[in-house]
Amino acid sequence: QAVSAMKAHVTAGHRWVVDLDLEAFFDRVNHDLLMARVARRVDDKRVLRLIRRYLEADMFQHGLPTPRRRGTPQGGPLSPLLANILLDDMDKALERRGHRFCRYAD
């Protein structure tokens, strides 16, 4: 995906293409920061509680349930949507600076 996005930018006449990886992004998401961003768009307290419970659901390490203090469940259907909400401010800052970009999660 990244290679085809870069080729499209070069074909469109852009001289510079930067490829970067937010390493271990899903593992490092701050729950409080994310919930504050979600609360900007969602008024329903029940939905907010459900999302919080999704984020804090136990994960299994060495066969034992372990509380999740940060991060989003990788492979979870809600995680990419939450990542988009969290990164929306960054996208807008890049757009204000005139940058063109393509962001994706793999």
Side-chain angles (χ1 to χ4, degrees), residues 3-4 6 13-14 18 28 44 49 61 71 74 76 88 96:
V3 173
S4 63
M6 286 189 275
H14 303 290
V18 177
R28 296 179 179 163
D44 190 326
R49 274 195 306 273
Q61 289 184 326
Q74 287 193 21
D88 188 56
R96 279 193 304 273

Side-chain angles (χ1 to χ4, degrees), residues 14-34:
H14 303 290
R15 293 183 52 189
W16 294 92
V17 176
V18 177
D19 180 29
L20 62 98
D21 180 9
L22 301 177
E23 185 178 345
F25 172 81
F26 288 101
D27 294 334
R28 296 179 179 163
V29 170
N30 178 297
H31 291 173
D32 294 332
L33 181 66
L34 173 57

